[in-house]
Structure formats: C-alpha cells, structure tokens
Amino acid sequence: MMDEIAGGRTTGRAGAIGLRLRSSVAAAVLALGLAPTGAAWSQDKMMATVGRVGNVDELVTMDKVCGTKPIRVALVDGFGGNSWRRITRAEYEDEAKKCPNIKEVLYADGQNNPQKTISDIQSLVAQGVEAIVVFPDAGPAMLPAIRAAHKAGVAIVAYTASPGGKPGVDYLDFVAPNTPSDGSTWAKWVAKTLNGQGKVVFLGGTPGNLQSQAELEGIKKVFADFPKIELLGGGPVDTNWDPAETQKVVSGLLTRYPQIDAIISDYGGGSVGGIRAFINAKHPLVPWAANDANEFACLWQENKAANPNYQMMTVSSRTWLVRVALRKAVAKAEGVDDPEPSIVNQPIVEDSTDPKLPPKCDSSLPPDAIFSSQLPPDKLKAVFAQ
C-alpha cells in the first residue's frame, strides 16, 4: 500500500510543486564529524555502522535487512515537487516493495513548509510507524521532532540534509554523499582535461550553503597542486540551483572574464542554463563537470562537434541514497545487522573522455531525468508519465 499522508490523513494526492532546494550534506563533515572508513560502534547491542565513510561496492541489497516482522515505513520529504524528489520517492517505493513484511509504504510532502514536515513526523510517530526516512530541508529546525521520534523508539534516518545533532544519539543515522570528495573528483578531472593550467569557475547553489562550501574545500585541495590553475572569484558563484538563474549568472561571468577554460557545477540540471549562456554568447563551450542529468548530456551531444574542446564529466545525482537510508531504518526496526556506510563516495557515471563512460541522452525522457537512478528504465519513465 502506498499512500501520501498529510498531517496524519491519507490523501492519495500529489504534493504541491515546491521551489528546488538542494539541502546541505556538508554538515556531516563540518559539523558532526565523520568516522573513518571501517569505524563502527554498538548501538543497542546491535552492530550497526553509524557515520562511516565508504564506497558503493560496500552497499547491500534489501533482502539482507527485510527481517520477518510486519512493519510500516514512511518517507518524509521537506518538499516533493521537483523531478529529483519524484525520482527519489519512486526509488524508495521500489526498494520497500522488496520486503513482503512491509505492510504499508507511506509518503509525506512537507510542501516547503517546515511546520508541516514537523507535523508529518509527529503524526507518523503517533500512528506507530516503525521506520521513517526524512529529508529535513529545514535543517536544525527539524531536530526536536526527529529526536522525539528516536526517543519514542522509531527507527528514523535523516538523509542528504543534516538536521544537526548527532547520528546514533539524536536519530539512528545520517546518510549522505561524501560532498568534499565530489569536489575533489570534479577538480581532478578538470585539472587533467586542462593539462594542469587554465581559469576555472565553480558554480554553487544558494548563498552560503554548506554543500557548495564543502565541495569547494575538495576543489581547493586538488587545485593547490596545480599552481597554473586559477579558480576565478575564489569560491562558489551563487546560482540558487536554478537553470534560469544559472544562465543569467554565467552570462555575466562571460562578460566579466574574457577567459574561462572550464566550469565545475554542483547541479547538472542547472548547468543547462549555463551552457545556453555560452551558446547565446557565441563563446566556445569548455570542459564541464557536474552531476548527471539527461539534458546536460543531450546538450553535450548536440554541441560537441562544433566545440572540439567541449568535454563533460558527471558524478551520480544519488537519488538512490534514499534506498540506503530505508535499509538502515528497516534493519533497525527488524533487529537485523546493516553494515553499510553512511557517507558514500560518489562514482563517476559519465565521462566524455572515457569510452567506457559515455554521456547518456534519451530524448524520449524529460530533460531532468537521471540515469544514475537505480530504477529500471520502465519505472523511470513511469515517474514522468504521472
């Protein structure tokens, strides 16, 4: 059974469209601290990894944690209106279907309203839902409700956005990508593609967000070994993770800087606006590193012939991380071990310079479809057919 809940009511309707808000994952690194690879500690006499950094090859399959007790699970979204959230919800529902003992699969859209998200969590706890995964868009404002759920015995896992507090104490765990590692991965590729010299722009998100700041640290660490690479402006250029805003910002950068040799962006879907700015300015396209999105790859395919220096690389957009969070919550509710890492190093999924990782474009799917999703093609298409 898959239902959307709102303040404790099963509504069966789609959530309202919200503004895109890519929440910070860097708090896991900057505020909470990360345990080194291999670290784990006992939690209620059950060996469960909390805060461990690891790789995708250390992840397990859902059948390893299903258990046998009938339970209900829920995904609480701070908002659920954009395509990334829709794909994530489909991944969560797909993963939950793999356990026959999961009797209800619930979903709550906070509609970009922190108070509603808090109410959704409280309602689910009152209903006795055993396992909850939450994307706490509002950050620390969500911590009291999340902590109360944890104290009530609910297996509650935050993912992608940190609510503050301490994993393993205030909630079961925090699942997120290794954000500084993303910055390092992009920077290494750019340095190699530019042969160690050139002027680079880093496009970030909202002003002061911790995600872009953590990525910047990874970028700077790599570029420190390449004195002939200059990071223009010294830090992330704010784009609000919005394609239209990104187009305006990049247009301004092209006017301000006569030489831009490469772009790093922490939002592939927003990068398409920047690419259009280059095209409109009749400026040759340059190497571009981001995370994967259908239109990002399609634009590369459309423009690569006329732009010989134009290459692209992406890391995963990690909609599948919700599966990891769900497995951790279910394992706890079932009393089953789950040795998976909490902070996951992201793989490169596309690289136009590597014949083994060609960019993926499917014009039959919407521009913001994500191919690093673990949904089968038919289920990915079904997300956008709704």
Side-chain angles (χ1 to χ4, degrees), residues 33 37 41 98 176 178 197 212 247 272 355 363 382:
T37 300
W41 56 85
K98 298 174 182 178
N178 188 347
Q197 60 182 6
S212 297
Q247 183 167 342
V272 301
S363 58

Side-chain angles (χ1 to χ4, degrees), residues 29-352:
V29 180
L30 303 177
L32 305 179
L34 294 180
T37 300
W41 56 85
S42 177
Q43 192 177 141
D44 297 337
K45 299 181 180 181
M46 169 185 147
M47 290 307 295
T49 56
V50 177
R52 182 170 73 85
V53 180
N55 299 318
V56 292
D57 59 4
E58 299 176 74
L59 302 178
V60 304
T61 53
M62 189 66 174
D63 61 293
K64 304 297 183 184
V65 302
C66 283
T68 58
K69 294 187 295 185
I71 61 170
R72 292 172 292 168
V73 301
L75 170 61
V76 178
D77 249 341
F79 84 96
N82 65 35
S83 294
W84 192 92
R85 301 300 178 109
R86 291 168 61 194
I87 293 171
T88 299
R89 177 183 178 180
E91 297 229 30
Y92 148 76
E93 292 174 347
D94 182 65
E95 194 74 358
K97 285 181 180 178
K98 298 174 182 178
C99 292
N101 54 307
I102 293 180
K103 300 305 180 183
E104 281 190 283
V105 182
L106 302 169
Y107 175 81
D109 178 1
Q111 300 174 5
N112 215 25
N113 180 341
Q115 188 54 53
K116 182 181 184 304
T117 308
I118 290 169
S119 177
D120 288 337
I121 294 172
Q122 292 171 337
S123 174
L124 290 163
V125 172
Q127 294 176 57
V129 173
E130 293 85 356
I132 298 175
V133 174
V134 57
F135 193 130
D137 288 274
M142 305 305 304
L143 184 59
I146 291 171
R147 183 189 289 127
H150 180 65
K151 289 183 177 179
V154 178
I156 186 163
V157 176
Y159 84 104
T160 299
S162 171
K166 186 174 181 180
V169 176
D170 296 301
Y171 40 93
L172 177 62
D173 205 352
F174 171 58
V175 172
N178 188 347
T179 316
S181 178
D182 286 352
S184 297
T185 299
W186 290 323
K188 288 176 183 177
W189 179 86
V190 165
K192 180 180 177 181
T193 304
L194 294 182
N195 296 315
Q197 60 182 6
K199 299 180 185 295
V200 182
V201 169
F202 172 39
L203 302 175
T206 53
N209 80 86
L210 291 179
Q211 174 182 322
S212 297
Q213 291 297 325
E215 292 160 344
L216 176 64
E217 292 306 309
I219 292 168
K220 284 185 172 180
K221 185 176 181 180
V222 172
F223 285 171
D225 294 330
F226 295 91
K228 293 185 178 180
I229 291 182
E230 179 185 355
L231 186 62
L232 297 173
V237 179
D238 299 332
T239 68
N240 290 318
W241 287 308
D242 177 81
E245 181 69 15
T246 302
Q247 183 167 342
K248 293 178 183 178
V249 167
V250 173
S251 293
L253 291 170
L254 289 170
T255 300
R256 180 178 180 184
Y257 298 111
Q259 180 184 347
I260 296 177
D261 299 303
I263 300 282
I264 296 174
S265 169
D266 62 4
Y267 178 29
S271 289
V272 301
I275 293 168
R276 291 194 180 98
F278 269 74
I279 294 171
N280 291 343
K282 301 187 185 307
H283 191 294
L285 285 160
V286 299
W288 206 296
N291 44 33
D292 70 312
N294 187 26
E295 188 175 14
F296 185 39
C298 291
L299 283 172
W300 175 79
Q301 290 191 2
E302 292 169 11
N303 293 282
K304 61 181 179 178
N307 296 269
N309 292 326
Y310 182 28
Q311 303 291 347
M312 65 163 283
M313 181 273 276
T314 64
V315 297
S316 171
S317 289
R318 39 76 174 159
T319 55
W320 46 266
L321 274 175
V322 72
R323 297 177 185 262
V324 182
L326 179 63
R327 290 195 293 264
K328 286 181 173 288
V330 169
K332 176 63 175 177
E334 293 288 336
V336 177
D337 289 350
D338 182 359
E340 296 179 275
S342 308
I343 308 300
V344 185
N345 296 319
Q346 297 280 57
I348 294 175
V349 294
E350 298 171 305
D351 183 350
S352 62

